Amino acid sequence: MRSLITGLLAAAVTATVLGQQAVAAEPTLVTPKVLIADPGAKPEQVQAQTLAARRYATFWSSGDPALARLALAPDFMDRALPPGRAQGIAGPLAASTAFHAAVPDLNCEVQQMIVSGDRVVSFLRFTGHFTGTFNGVKGQGQAVNFIATDIYRIADGRIAENWHLEDNLTFLQQIGVIAP
């Protein structure tokens, strides 16, 4: 009996330690400051919808391509595709790489997230310092602080489509590429 109890305790401790290591390996996802959900939505649906959007916001903060692949459907479509950006997952991956090269300490906050049906609307704020290079311009540490709004259509727990609008004018003025 004593060996059975000792074995069970050892198994419980091992499971706890392994579980903590697994949790520790998971990235901390960006949490919306305000979350508004359709009152009729099931909590598990809201959780699945917001998980995809939180992974995507965390991808923009961290630049971790694994998070983009978890957040975006394999057939992801950017419905507001900027000129020169590739369609599909390749587009955000390339944009993030370029953005992090310009603003290495980039931070993406979700100011507000609204969930209704298969849609999630995220109001985002990007902050950091322009210490890298953007289109041949070398940063001098200028503060970056601008907003963006994304509308996602979620399917099977991933972002299938995205309509987005970024305040690129403010960003370009802040880094000195365009005069204010």
Side-chain angles (χ1 to χ4, degrees), residues 121-143:
V121 178
S122 289
F123 178 69
L124 310 169
R125 179 167 302 281
F126 291 90
T127 58
H129 297 87
F130 178 42
T131 57
T133 303
F134 182 80
N135 287 348
V137 176
K138 175 71 176 121
Q140 304 298 315
Q142 300 96 311

Side-chain angles (χ1 to χ4, degrees), residues 105-119:
D105 66 342
L106 182 66
N107 183 48
C108 175
E109 293 180 343
V110 179
Q111 302 289 305
Q112 189 172 165
M113 188 178 286
I114 303 168
V115 181
S116 182
D118 67 350
R119 307 289 186 200

Side-chain angles (χ1 to χ4, degrees), residues 141-179:
Q142 300 96 311
V144 170
N145 185 341
F146 68 97
I147 59 172
T149 301
D150 283 0
I151 303 171
Y152 310 128
R153 183 180 65 81
I154 310 291
D156 298 322
R158 293 189 173 181
I159 299 169
E161 295 177 274
N162 182 16
W163 294 261
H164 54 91
L165 181 63
E166 300 87 20
D167 185 2
N168 292 320
L169 177 59
T170 295
F171 170 68
L172 294 173
Q173 288 174 334
Q174 289 171 347
I175 67 171
V177 173
I178 294 177

Side-chain angles (χ1 to χ4, degrees), residues 6-169:
T6 303
L8 289 173
L9 284 173
V13 168
T14 301
T16 301
V17 169
L18 290 176
Q20 287 173 345
Q21 288 174 345
V23 169
E26 293 285 325
T28 301
L29 298 179
V30 171
T31 301
K33 290 184 176 183
V34 175
L35 175 62
I36 301 167
D38 185 341
K42 295 178 182 171
E44 56 273 4
Q45 177 192 4
V46 172
Q47 183 178 4
Q49 305 289 74
T50 60
L51 178 60
R54 291 176 62 211
R55 283 177 172 160
Y56 199 49
T58 305
F59 155 70
W60 285 107
S61 252
S62 68
D64 182 354
L67 285 168
R69 289 184 180 94
L70 285 172
L72 302 174
D75 58 349
F76 167 75
M77 291 292 294
D78 184 335
R79 299 298 186 182
L81 193 67
R85 185 180 296 173
Q87 186 57 268
I89 295 173
L93 292 176
S96 173
T97 298
F99 207 10
H100 279 272
V103 184
D105 66 342
L106 182 66
N107 183 48
C108 175
E109 293 180 343
V110 179
Q111 302 289 305
Q112 189 172 165
M113 188 178 286
I114 303 168
V115 181
S116 182
D118 67 350
R119 307 289 186 200
V120 173
V121 178
S122 289
F123 178 69
L124 310 169
R125 179 167 302 281
F126 291 90
T127 58
H129 297 87
F130 178 42
T131 57
T133 303
F134 182 80
N135 287 348
V137 176
K138 175 71 176 121
Q140 304 298 315
Q142 300 96 311
V144 170
N145 185 341
F146 68 97
I147 59 172
T149 301
D150 283 0
I151 303 171
Y152 310 128
R153 183 180 65 81
I154 310 291
D156 298 322
R158 293 189 173 181
I159 299 169
E161 295 177 274
N162 182 16
W163 294 261
H164 54 91
L165 181 63
E166 300 87 20
D167 185 2
N168 292 320
L169 177 59

